Amino acid sequence: MLGLGVDRLQADINRLLTSLFHQGVLDEQFLQLQQLQDDTSPTFVYDVINIYFDESEKLLRNLRLLLVDREFSDYKKIGLHLNQLVGSSSSIGARRVRNVCVAFRSASELNNRPGCLRGLEVVEHEYHYLKNMMHELFQLEQQRLLAAGVRYPM
Amino acid sequence: MTRDKDDEVPNLAESKLTALVVDDNFINQSIHHKLLDRLGITNDVVCNGKEAVDVHCSGRNYDLILMDMDMPIMNGIQATRRLREMGIESKIAGVTTRANEVERQEFMEAGLNDFQEKPLTISKLLSILTNLNFYVQTS
């Protein structure tokens, strides 16, 4: 019975990942992260993704604070924040977030404030979708580990 | 330091290579540190070019330095130039998410031995190691 539970959960994980790759939410860099996870760092993917969430939310907050200021004119700062987001998103395989950040960055390079505001909304939307999907993936993974009788601190 | 099968990750621990990761991004620090660990390469991590220079001033030395380009306080170009001025002969590989041809040329001229685009993968890191003669791939 336990074996069937583990198999079912693994099938759910595979289905979710396939869907995320098919939607372009994730790319092959995410597989690279998974390949780095091993017995010496069994929660590597979870840890790195959580660092990404913490860092991204700070950057998104800063971007919003900059753009809601009517006197705002520091597009260079916007660009610096977006370079960080593009880099981090590329590194974890978050393809759609990376792509919308690149589009947002193009608006900032043109000093286009309405374009930047739209860009920020799109990035926030894609980021939150990714975060929800990652939480679902980690929950399934945690359930699978429990079903298999493995305990890792998370 | 040879690779036997295409699908195996080589273990270079016997070669006792050491590396320094220079990157201001925590995610890239984690990934590059783990990539090097996986290949059996002992490595340290610092957050910017100034820390890379300081660690060498303290007497540490490394076979390989993975140098990010865009960093606060001292960027990769400045740090590479400074390390070469100090007489540091370690192999330095520049890594960056974006660099136009002019920026790449400037980075190379600062004293790089190799250049790779981020995100780094096992295969890109092996390419760096091969290019810098730390690793030979056998067919």
Side-chain angles (χ1 to χ4, degrees):
Chain A
M1 289 295 286
L2 276 177
L4 284 174
V6 170
D7 287 345
R8 184 181 55 77
L9 285 162
Q10 186 61 59
D12 289 343
I13 289 168
N14 291 344
R15 217 172 0 254
L16 177 57
L17 278 174
T18 300
S19 170
L20 291 174
F21 278 100
H22 183 71
Q23 293 175 61
V25 174
L26 295 177
D27 65 24
E28 59 276 3
Q29 183 62 20
F30 186 78
L31 296 176
Q32 289 286 323
L33 279 193
Q34 289 185 314
Q35 284 172 14
L36 290 176
Q37 184 159 297
D38 57 22
D39 293 340
T40 64
S41 51
T43 59
F44 180 74
V45 176
Y46 178 85
D47 294 338
V48 169
I49 298 289
N50 274 302
I51 295 172
Y52 171 76
F53 288 154
D54 288 343
E55 293 295 310
S56 298
E57 278 165 31
K58 279 183 212 162
L59 289 167
L60 288 171
R61 252 194 318 274
N62 289 343
L63 284 165
R64 187 154 278 284
L65 283 171
L66 282 167
L67 283 169
V68 296
D69 179 359
R70 286 187 176 277
E71 305 298 320
F72 161 76
S73 63
D74 195 350
Y75 288 96
K76 189 176 173 190
K77 201 173 245 184
I78 297 265
L80 289 173
H81 287 334
L82 285 170
N83 285 347
Q84 286 284 327
L85 261 176
V86 167
S88 301
S89 302
S90 293
S91 293
I92 66 148
R95 174 178 281 180
R96 269 195 353 209
V97 174
R98 178 215 173 263
N99 288 348
V100 296
C101 286
V102 168
F104 181 175
R105 189 168 60 190
S106 299
S108 76
E109 286 164 357
L110 295 172
N111 293 1
N112 178 353
R113 186 161 176 267
C116 285
L117 283 164
R118 272 196 303 277
L120 178 59
E121 281 177 17
V122 172
V123 169
E124 285 172 337
H125 172 80
E126 287 296 341
Y127 168 78
H128 286 296
Y129 182 71
L130 171 73
K131 189 173 179 182
N132 288 340
M133 292 297 105
M134 286 293 105
H135 277 153
E136 192 175 324
L137 184 68
F138 292 144
Q139 276 176 353
L140 286 171
E141 181 62 26
Q142 182 73 336
Q143 286 168 27
R144 189 189 69 81
L145 290 171
L146 286 171
V150 178
R151 293 286 185 276
Y152 290 130
M154 269 193 165
Chain B
M1 293 190 286
T2 57
R3 190 173 181 190
D4 295 322
K5 297 179 196 173
D6 285 339
D7 56 354
E8 277 186 3
V9 176
N11 190 322
L12 307 181
E14 267 187 25
S15 61
K16 297 195 188 320
L17 288 173
T18 58
L20 178 67
V21 174
V22 188
D23 202 309
D24 63 321
N25 182 295
F26 289 150
I27 292 153
N28 290 328
Q29 286 177 7
S30 302
I31 293 173
H32 295 174
H33 171 71
K34 187 66 187 169
L35 278 170
L36 288 162
D37 267 358
R38 176 58 69 85
L39 291 174
I41 299 174
T42 308
N43 64 96
D44 293 331
V45 178
V46 293
C47 298
N48 57 60
K50 183 177 181 306
E51 289 186 11
V53 169
D54 289 345
V55 83
H56 282 86
C57 288
S58 74
R60 294 298 304 269
N61 225 314
Y62 302 89
D63 298 299
L64 170 67
I65 301 171
L66 295 179
M67 182 77 78
D68 182 27
M69 193 170 81
D70 291 317
M71 293 179 288
I73 303 174
M74 186 187 283
N75 66 31
I77 295 174
Q78 294 164 333
T80 301
R81 209 171 274 140
R82 183 79 191 99
L83 289 170
R84 292 307 190 208
E85 285 167 0
M86 287 164 59
I88 300 299
E89 295 181 346
S90 310
K91 302 290 188 186
I92 305 177
V95 288
T96 184
T97 41
R98 73 169 194 157
N100 57 42
E101 201 47 50
V102 171
E103 288 169 328
R104 183 172 172 158
Q105 185 66 20
E106 191 185 355
F107 204 0
M108 289 298 297
E109 285 172 1
L112 294 183
N113 301 100
D114 198 12
F115 183 95
Q116 214 19 288
E117 279 190 25
K118 281 194 278 189
L120 280 188
T121 59
I122 289 272
S123 126
K124 285 183 184 180
L125 185 52
L126 284 173
S127 171
I128 290 172
L129 294 169
T130 303
N131 290 345
L132 300 180
N133 299 320
F134 289 128
Y135 169 70
V136 176
Q137 188 167 336
T138 55
S139 55

